[in-house]
């Protein structure tokens, strides 16, 4: 089948059930999304689509096929075949009778088309028997849909079609399907109403005439009826003389309704003239013996010069697919017959050429008991004419085949151009889809580096001005003894450990909707309330910190084989935020709040969440378990009264981790992770496959935690927070007032030098931990 059929089926599903249903249907049937109109596809594709549509819609195949038949008629009309279909016949019988002629014409352009064949018979009671022949089994139910739509649209009538016989016709080659439909045609309701109204009008006037008891002549009745029809909007009836004048051609002969042809006593044409005027005709009798042939067909097939040879020795019937007998031909007498020469009976000069095909009409001559085959060469283009070493002059001047070849040559060129445009359109569609996918990947990467609204402004070429955020909560974390781990492990093991840890932390940022600012080595920094102001920034960061402590239990230290230990520090306060740089722009936070949060982390304890007094005030009445640490000396800040965040009294561990109820608990995951890491430690060669496996382990379904000020789009600020929105683009300040993360540690000689900074020992910290704690930080802390 050509792609036109499958495109129609796709259009039907989309129009009736939507794009999603079509995508599901084609995926189930394992077929492509788009079909080229002029490209030939296997019948199996259409059959699979129909079968899957029956399963998907839970209906019988005959219902789907009938619906497809009705839609196919409308699809053909919309595709430009409307006028061609309307001119096939003046009634349904003539329309069906000329369907094969239409298919024969279309086969000039669609060379590979294998169309069904139709034959119709009239019954004495007004019904019809429609014979349907097809090489494809199981598609006969399309016919009632098509014929019913034609009758309703073109001829304003309703029909009923039922199968009275269904068989495999042994007479046709290959045992094709032969289905006989009984067609009962009825007028539509509007026509019946109109005829009933006419009868009622006549009865009304007759009744009124009797009631008035006044004689009314015929002309009076006609005049009254005409006026009534004009009042009702009906066309005016013609009077008697107009009817007569329409039926008679003055001086030209008899009434048209009683036309009878006049035949001469003898045929006024000699044999030579007839054979030259009709160069491709053949006359044969009931035994298929050739009695007469045109001059050009004799030139191509010299065997026809020998009279009384068998026609089936030199020709085969291509269409309709019937056996070569006189009875089969007479059964399909109204069809166009396509005959093809046999290669073994052709002269040597034709051995390497394509065989000649003839297309024409069979006419049974009762008086002679012979069949006349009046034909013309079936040629679709000038190229086919050249392949057979023929010329336009070989075709009779009166034969429209001359014009058909030239016109179809142009038609084929237009089809080829249309086919190329369709292919280019499909290529562009695929490129557009690929470009859209790549665009999404690029945007995802960009949004991972910068806030969404900032990234969008940069894409539009706009300048992003710095803004002030009066309330936010910043978190820092790092890995305890990370310097020792780096000195004793292979680089790939460090990458593997950090990647495993960061994947878990990144997942938590989605759960609690906090912004990941950057990672520097083992340090991880997030902020709540920036770049989207929210009132629950402290609770979000606190829950995120609790999740970090839980997630760290599942990350293995490559030296000890046990879980890693992290320190977490949290502080709340105001910051300045803006985009720094042009080559690789970074979204940076500036202010003393950043420094204080970093100090909370550096003065913290392993597996503890160290919080400042401002964070304590924000969390003390929010259901968190807080432990007082007391007053400690903070480098650069003096004495501070700090606290530890121990847990959340109102949320479960699964809620903090963003796990669904069906997800395995962290204990089993930790045990499995421990076994895997022990095995990797034994091998001491972690591979890329192992890293990918850990990545897949961390991609559990994420369940965001609910907060009082939650909103649907994590990248867009809430519309109600007008005050906070203004802070996003606050008044810019001079660069000197932005500050830095560790402004007090900058060296005047080299502000970017790397310093090795020991953590101050605490009274409550073990000596081993304090002595082995070396931390590396850049003095210029620009946070991404």
């Amino acid at each position: 089948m050509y792609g036109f059929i499958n495109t129609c089926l796709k259009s039907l599903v989309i129009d009736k059930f939507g794009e999603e249903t079509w995508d599901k249907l084609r995926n189930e049937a394992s077929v492509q999304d788009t079909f080229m109109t002029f490209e030939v596809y296997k019948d199996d594709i259409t059959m699979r689509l129909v079968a899957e549509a029956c399963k998907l819609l839970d209906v019988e195949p005959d219902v789907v096929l009938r619906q497809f038949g009705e839609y196919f008629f409308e699809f053909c009309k919309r595709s430009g075949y409307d006028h061609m279909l309307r001119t096939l016949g003046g009634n349904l019988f003539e329309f069906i009778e000329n369907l094969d002629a239409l298919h024969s014409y279309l086969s000039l352009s669609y060379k590979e088309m294998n169309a069904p064949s139709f034959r119709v018979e009239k019954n004495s009671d007004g019904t019809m028997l429609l014979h349907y022949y097809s090489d494809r089994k199981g598609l006969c139910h399309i016919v009632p849909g098509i014929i019913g739509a034609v009758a309703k649209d073109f001829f304003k009538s309703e029909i009923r079609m039922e199968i009275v016989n269904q068989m495999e016709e042994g007479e046709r080659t290959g045992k094709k399907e032969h289905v006989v439909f009984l067609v009962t045609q009825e007028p539509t309701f509007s026509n019946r109403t109109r005829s009933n109204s006419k009868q009622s009008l006549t009865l009304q006037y007759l009744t009124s005439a009797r009631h008035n008891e006044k004689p009314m002549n015929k002309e009076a009745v006609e005049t009254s009826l005409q006026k009534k029809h004009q009042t009702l909007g009906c066309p005016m009836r013609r009077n008697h003389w107009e009817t007569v004048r329409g039926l008679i051609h003055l001086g030209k002969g008899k009434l048209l309704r009683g036309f009878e042809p006049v035949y001469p006593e003898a045929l006024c044409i000699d044999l030579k003239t007839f054979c030259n005027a009709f160069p491709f005709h053949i006359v044969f009798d009931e035994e298929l013996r050739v009695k007469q042939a045109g001059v050009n067909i004799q030139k191509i097939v010299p065997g026809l010069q020998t009279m009384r040879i068998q026609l089936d020795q030199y020709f085969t019937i291509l269409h309709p697919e019937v056996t070569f007998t006189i009875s089969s031909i007479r059964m399909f007498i109204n069809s166009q017959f396509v005959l093809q020469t046999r290669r073994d009976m052709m002269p040597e000069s034709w051995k390497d050429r394509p065989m000649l095909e003839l297309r024409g009409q069979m006419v049974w001559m009762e008086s002679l008991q012979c069949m006349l085959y009046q034909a013309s060469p079936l040629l679709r283009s000038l190229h086919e004419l050249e392949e057979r070493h023929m010329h336009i002059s070989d075709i009779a001047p009166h034969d429209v085949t001359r014009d058909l070849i030239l016109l179809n040559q142009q038609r084929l060129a237009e089809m080829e151009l249309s086919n190329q445009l369709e292919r280019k359109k499909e290529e562009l569609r695929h490129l557009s889809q690929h470009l859209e996918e790549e665009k999404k990947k690029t945007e995802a990467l960009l949004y991972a580096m910068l806030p969404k609204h900032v990234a969008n402004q940069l894409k539009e070429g706009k300048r992003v001005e710095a803004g002030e955020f009066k309330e936010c909560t910043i978190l820092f974390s790092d890995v305890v003894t990370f310097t020792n781990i780096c000195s004793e492990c292979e680089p790939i093991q460090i990458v593997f450990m950090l990647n495993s840890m960061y994947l878990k932390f990144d997942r938590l940022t989605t759960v609690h909707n906090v912004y990941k600012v950057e990672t520097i080595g083992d340090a991880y920094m997030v902020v709540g309330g920036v770049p989207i102001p929210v009132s629950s920034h402290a609770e979000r960061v606190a829950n995120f910190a609790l999740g970090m402590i839980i997630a760290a239990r599942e990350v293995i230290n490559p030296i000890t084989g046990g879980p890693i230990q992290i320190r977490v520090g949290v502080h709340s306060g105001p910051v300045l935020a803006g985009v720094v740089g042009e080559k690789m722009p970074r979204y940076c936070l500036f202010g003393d709040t950043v420094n204080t949060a970093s100090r909370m982390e550096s003065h913290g304890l392993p597996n503890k969440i160290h919080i400042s007094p401002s964070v304590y005030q924000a969390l003390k009445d929010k259901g968190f378990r807080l432990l007082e640490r007391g007053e400690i000396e903070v480098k650069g800040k003096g004495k501070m009264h700090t606290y530890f965040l121990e847990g959340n009294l109102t949320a479960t561990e699964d809620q903090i981790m963003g796990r669904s109820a069906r997800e395995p608990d962290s204990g089993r995951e930790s045990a499995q992770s421990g076994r895997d890491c022990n095995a990797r430690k034994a091998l001491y060669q972690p591979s890329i496959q192992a890293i990918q496996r850990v990545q897949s382990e961390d991609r559990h379904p994420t369940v965001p935690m609910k907060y009082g000020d939650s909103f649907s789009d994590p990248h867009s600020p809430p519309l109600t927070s007008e005050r906070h929105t203004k802070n996003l683009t606050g008044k810019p300040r001079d660069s000197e007032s932005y500050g830095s993360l560790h402004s007090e540690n900058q060296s005047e000689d080299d502000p970017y030098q790397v310093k090795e900074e020991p953590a101050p020992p605490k009274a409550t910290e073990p000596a081993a931990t304090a002595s082995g704690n070396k931390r590396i930080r850049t003095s210029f802390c620009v946070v991404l």
Side-chain angles (χ1 to χ4, degrees):
M1 293 186 185
Y2 275 86
F4 184 82
I5 304 295
N6 296 328
T7 302
C8 175
L9 185 56
K10 173 185 175 180
S11 180
L12 168 63
V13 175
I14 292 176
D15 285 356
K16 300 293 184 182
F17 306 102
E19 287 274 3
E20 294 181 356
T21 305
W22 165 250
D23 291 336
K24 185 175 181 181
L25 176 61
R26 71 179 183 84
N27 289 333
E28 292 292 334
S30 301
V31 300
Q32 64 266 38
D33 182 34
T34 307
F35 302 93
M36 300 292 104
T37 303
F38 303 107
E39 187 171 329
V40 181
Y41 296 89
K42 294 182 179 180
D43 293 353
D44 181 57
I45 293 178
T46 309
M47 300 301 185
R48 291 205 308 269
L49 284 172
V50 172
E52 292 299 331
C54 295
K55 294 179 183 177
L56 187 62
L57 303 176
D58 194 21
V59 294
E60 295 296 326
D62 56 337
V63 177
V64 174
L65 292 175
R66 188 181 184 97
Q67 182 80 13
F68 174 70
E70 295 175 358
Y71 190 84
F72 181 71
F73 171 69
E74 296 296 330
F75 190 76
C76 290
K77 287 173 57 180
R78 293 202 304 263
S79 301
Y81 295 96
D82 184 20
H83 298 292
M84 186 183 299
L85 292 171
R86 287 183 184 276
T87 55
L88 281 186
N91 53 55
L92 187 60
F93 179 83
E94 294 175 355
F95 180 91
I96 300 174
E97 198 174 36
N98 287 279
L99 275 178
D100 280 10
L102 174 63
H103 291 154
S104 178
Y105 165 75
L106 293 176
S107 65
L108 296 176
S109 302
Y110 299 89
K111 297 181 181 181
E112 304 295 329
M113 185 175 70
N114 184 14
S117 181
F118 297 90
R119 180 168 62 89
V120 63
E121 301 174 357
K122 276 187 176 180
N123 298 327
S124 57
D125 58 354
T127 60
M128 294 181 290
L129 288 178
L130 173 59
H131 296 261
Y132 163 80
Y133 302 88
S134 176
D135 295 345
R136 306 175 180 92
K137 296 181 180 179
L139 298 181
C140 62
H141 295 286
I142 295 178
V143 178
I146 297 177
I147 301 300
V150 169
K152 188 174 182 179
D153 192 342
F154 289 170
F155 308 113
K156 309 303 179 186
S157 62
E158 301 284 349
I159 64 169
R160 294 196 312 271
M161 293 184 65
E162 54 182 324
I163 298 177
V164 296
N165 197 1
Q166 188 170 3
M167 68 194 91
E168 286 186 351
E169 178 109 351
E171 179 182 328
R172 295 170 61 81
T173 57
K175 290 189 176 181
K176 313 305 182 194
E177 186 177 40
H178 176 198
V179 182
V180 183
F181 295 92
L182 177 63
V183 183
T184 306
Q185 191 172 4
E186 297 177 353
T188 58
F189 178 77
S190 59
N191 291 338
R192 291 196 300 267
T193 305
R194 188 175 300 171
S195 61
N196 293 337
S197 63
K198 281 186 177 183
Q199 294 176 3
S200 61
L201 285 172
T202 306
L203 290 174
Q204 180 181 351
Y205 279 101
L206 292 175
T207 305
S208 61
R210 293 194 191 98
H211 180 72
N212 296 329
E213 295 182 355
K214 293 181 180 180
M216 296 184 67
N217 56 22
K218 184 177 180 180
E219 293 182 359
V221 174
E222 287 287 343
T223 304
S224 301
L225 286 174
Q226 286 179 9
K227 291 180 179 179
K228 194 69 175 177
H229 281 293
Q230 290 177 359
T231 305
L232 295 176
C234 299
M236 183 182 296
R237 293 181 57 186
R238 304 170 67 184
N239 60 33
H240 175 69
W241 292 111
E242 288 177 345
T243 305
V244 172
R245 281 195 295 270
L247 295 175
I248 297 179
H249 290 257
L250 297 178
K252 298 294 182 180
K254 302 177 181 180
L255 289 175
L256 295 180
R257 288 184 178 176
F259 171 75
E260 292 182 3
V262 176
Y263 299 101
E265 295 180 358
L267 189 63
C268 297
I269 184 172
D270 62 276
L271 294 177
K272 290 184 179 180
T273 303
F274 187 87
C275 290
N276 282 281
F278 303 99
F280 289 96
H281 82 278
I282 302 174
V283 177
F284 55 96
D285 60 12
E286 294 180 333
E287 283 75 29
L288 304 181
R289 291 192 298 266
V290 177
K291 292 191 172 184
Q292 182 179 315
V295 292
N296 285 353
I297 191 65
Q298 293 180 31
K299 186 193 304 183
I300 297 173
V301 188
L304 295 180
Q305 293 178 318
T306 304
M307 296 301 147
R308 304 187 68 81
I309 63 168
Q310 293 294 123
L311 184 63
D312 57 348
Q313 293 179 356
Y314 289 87
F315 291 91
T316 57
I317 299 179
L318 294 184
H319 180 82
E321 296 181 3
V322 296
T323 54
F324 211 144
T325 62
I326 201 71
S327 59
S328 299
I329 294 173
R330 293 188 66 178
M331 185 180 298
F332 289 84
I333 196 70
N334 292 325
S335 300
Q336 283 192 342
F337 277 78
V338 178
L339 270 60
Q340 185 184 61
T341 55
R342 290 181 179 270
R343 187 173 294 277
D344 55 344
M345 301 300 291
M346 294 295 287
E348 289 294 330
S349 60
W350 274 80
K351 292 296 183 182
D352 298 329
R353 305 178 193 172
M355 291 295 96
L356 176 67
E357 295 179 2
L358 299 175
R359 180 185 62 180
Q361 178 186 8
M362 294 286 184
V363 181
W364 175 248
M365 299 180 290
E366 186 67 31
S367 59
L368 300 177
Q369 292 293 300
C370 290
M371 187 72 72
L372 168 64
Y373 180 51
Q374 175 56 32
S376 301
L378 180 57
L379 300 170
R380 300 175 178 87
S381 63
L382 296 175
H383 178 67
E384 293 186 1
L385 192 71
E386 292 175 349
E387 283 183 331
R388 291 159 178 80
H389 294 186
M390 296 177 64
H391 304 85
I392 292 290
S393 59
D394 294 329
I395 304 172
H398 65 81
D399 196 339
V400 295
T401 304
R402 288 184 167 207
D403 299 330
L404 192 61
I405 292 174
L406 298 175
L407 291 174
N408 199 54
Q409 180 73 22
Q410 181 182 1
R411 166 67 175 160
L412 291 175
E414 292 175 353
M415 288 179 59
E416 180 61 26
L417 180 60
S418 177
N419 195 17
Q420 291 179 4
L421 290 175
E422 197 171 2
R423 290 182 182 277
K424 290 296 182 183
K425 177 183 176 182
E426 183 63 16
E427 290 177 6
L428 288 175
R429 190 180 70 85
H430 284 298
L431 288 175
S432 178
Q433 287 181 348
H434 181 68
L435 181 61
E436 189 65 27
E437 292 174 359
E438 294 299 322
K439 180 183 176 184
K440 290 180 180 179
K441 293 179 183 178
T442 305
E443 288 182 346
L445 182 61
L446 181 60
Y447 295 152
M449 299 173 62
L450 295 170
K452 186 174 182 179
H453 70 280
V454 172
N456 291 335
Q457 288 179 337
L458 291 177
K459 285 196 303 182
E460 295 171 2
K462 297 179 181 179
R463 180 180 177 182
V464 182
E465 297 182 349
E468 180 181 359
F469 294 82
K470 295 183 179 179
E471 296 178 2
C472 73
T473 300
I474 297 176
L475 175 146
F476 277 96
S477 74
D478 74 338
V479 178
V480 179
T481 66
F482 182 70
T483 305
N484 297 338
I485 296 174
C486 292
S487 63
E488 298 181 22
C489 291
E490 296 291 333
I492 187 63
Q493 290 181 296
I494 303 300
V495 172
F496 175 76
M497 181 191 72
L498 292 179
N499 186 60
S500 175
M501 180 178 69
Y502 288 159
L503 283 175
K504 298 178 186 300
F505 292 174
D506 291 346
R507 181 173 177 270
L508 287 173
T509 61
T510 304
V511 175
H512 302 287
N513 196 13
V514 293
Y515 181 65
K516 175 184 176 181
V517 182
E518 76 157 354
T519 56
I520 302 177
D522 65 320
Y524 195 94
M525 177 182 178
V526 298
V527 60
V530 176
I532 304 169
V534 289
S535 60
S536 60
H537 54 86
E539 297 99 291
R540 293 173 184 270
V541 174
N543 286 323
F544 176 81
L546 293 172
M548 294 178 75
I549 298 297
I550 298 172
R553 302 172 192 161
E554 303 171 10
V555 181
I556 302 304
N557 187 328
I559 296 179
T560 64
I564 64 170
Q565 291 182 318
I566 64 172
R567 274 190 300 263
V568 181
V570 184
H571 177 61
S572 295
V575 294
L576 290 175
V579 177
V580 175
E582 188 174 307
K583 196 72 174 179
M584 185 180 290
R586 299 173 183 273
Y587 190 71
C588 304
L589 303 182
F590 304 96
D592 188 63
T593 302
V594 181
N595 299 328
T596 305
S598 178
R599 290 290 173 257
M600 291 296 101
E601 173 262 318
S602 61
H603 290 71
L605 299 179
N607 289 337
K608 292 287 187 180
I609 303 171
H610 192 203
I611 64 176
S612 67
S614 60
V615 179
Y616 173 79
Q617 293 296 328
L619 299 180
K620 65 179 181 178
D621 297 325
K622 300 295 178 62
F624 289 92
R625 186 167 66 251
L626 305 173
L627 178 64
E628 183 177 359
R629 182 180 185 182
E631 194 174 68
I632 63 171
E633 184 71 25
V634 178
K635 185 177 180 180
K637 300 296 177 182
K639 295 185 180 296
M640 288 183 66
H641 200 87
T642 60
Y643 304 84
F644 288 123
L645 172 62
E646 297 287 331
N648 191 327
L649 302 175
T650 60
T652 64
E653 183 176 308
D654 285 340
Q655 289 175 326
I656 293 174
M657 298 300 294
R659 291 193 292 248
S660 60
R662 291 174 293 179
E663 190 173 336
D665 56 58
S666 60
R668 280 179 289 182
E669 288 183 354
S670 180
Q672 180 64 34
S673 178
R675 288 193 294 269
D676 292 343
C677 288
N678 288 333
R680 288 193 294 270
K681 183 183 177 183
L683 295 174
Y684 214 74
Q685 292 178 346
S687 62
I688 298 299
Q689 291 79 4
I691 295 176
Q692 293 175 347
R693 181 160 56 85
V694 171
Q695 291 177 354
S696 64
E697 289 173 359
D698 287 310
R699 290 171 184 168
H700 298 302
T702 302
V703 181
M705 193 168 178
K706 300 297 181 181
Y707 291 91
D709 54 2
S710 297
F711 42 87
S712 58
D713 188 358
H715 300 292
S716 302
L719 299 177
T720 57
S721 182
E722 182 178 355
R723 178 175 62 86
H724 293 302
T725 305
K726 290 181 179 179
N727 292 335
L728 289 174
T729 56
K731 182 178 179 181
R733 301 189 181 185
D734 296 334
S735 59
E736 290 82 359
S737 63
Y738 281 175
S740 66
L741 297 186
H742 297 282
S743 57
E744 68 274 15
N745 293 331
Q746 290 183 0
S747 171
E748 294 181 1
D749 297 333
D750 186 4
Y752 304 102
Q753 70 178 358
V754 178
K755 291 186 176 182
E756 195 168 292
E757 174 188 342
K762 289 89 177 177
T764 56
E765 184 176 355
T769 305
S771 61
N773 182 23
K774 288 186 178 181
R775 308 181 66 255
I776 298 176
R777 279 207 180 271
T778 58
S779 297
F780 180 71
C781 290
V782 177
V783 183
L784 175 63

